[in-house]
Amino acid sequence: KIGYFRTYYLTKLLVGIVVLACAASLIYTMVRPRPDTLLYTAILDYAMTDEMTDTLSSGFSEYISLDPQTQELVFDNTFLLSGQTDYSTQQRFSTYLFAGEFDVIIGGETQMQSQMQNGYFAPLSEQLPTELFSELKDYFVYGAIAETDSEGNVISWGEEEVYGLYLDDCEIY
């Protein structure tokens, strides 16, 4: 009886078990609750170590009393845009930016000015409460959106507004 079972049914049973396990894994992956991303921070052109990212994440998590089961913070330091010959990083950055995924973008002044001039950022006066906006006035980064012709030459500049904050006094930078 065991030989008969092994010959005719064992292979089919093992294949069935593997298929069932794969299907169960796929279903679990698709329907399990995902943590809400409370803050998505893109860090441009700064090679941060995992230790630094963990320090930022854990410190901010403690500050806002984050529940790690249902909430998460993302500090994404994979956006190395300067000197890139691989356009996939720029494309990923642009996709996330236009989809509104980023809450905060940290980058060097040159990179931020470039993004600002292209009209990628909203003025901080529209994003922050008036009281907080006033408190941060010593750290403002001003910029204007460039209007260009079809060849990319600047025709005129828009109104100068606040698009960012200098982080020079922050411990991590």
Side-chain angles (χ1 to χ4, degrees), residues 30-97:
M30 293 173 65
V31 299
R32 74 172 176 199
R34 299 188 195 289
D36 292 331
T37 301
L38 294 183
L39 177 71
Y40 194 119
T41 303
I43 302 167
L44 307 181
D45 295 330
Y46 190 76
M48 231 180 201
T49 64
D50 289 338
E51 183 179 309
M52 291 171 73
T53 305
D54 291 343
T55 301
L56 272 175
S57 185
S58 64
F60 197 71
S61 295
E62 288 175 26
Y63 179 73
I64 63 170
S65 302
L66 179 100
D67 177 11
Q69 298 297 322
T70 60
Q71 302 166 325
E72 70 176 350
L73 302 174
V74 176
F75 290 92
D76 192 346
N77 62 344
T78 61
F79 295 104
L80 302 175
L81 303 176
S82 294
Q84 275 284 16
T85 54
D86 176 21
Y87 293 103
S88 63
T89 302
Q90 179 66 41
Q91 184 177 17
R92 187 169 64 94
F93 175 75
S94 297
T95 301
Y96 279 39
L97 184 66

Side-chain angles (χ1 to χ4, degrees), residues 17-37:
I17 290 172
V18 168
V19 168
L20 190 61
C22 289
S25 175
L26 181 67
I27 290 170
Y28 174 75
T29 301
M30 293 173 65
V31 299
R32 74 172 176 199
R34 299 188 195 289
D36 292 331
T37 301

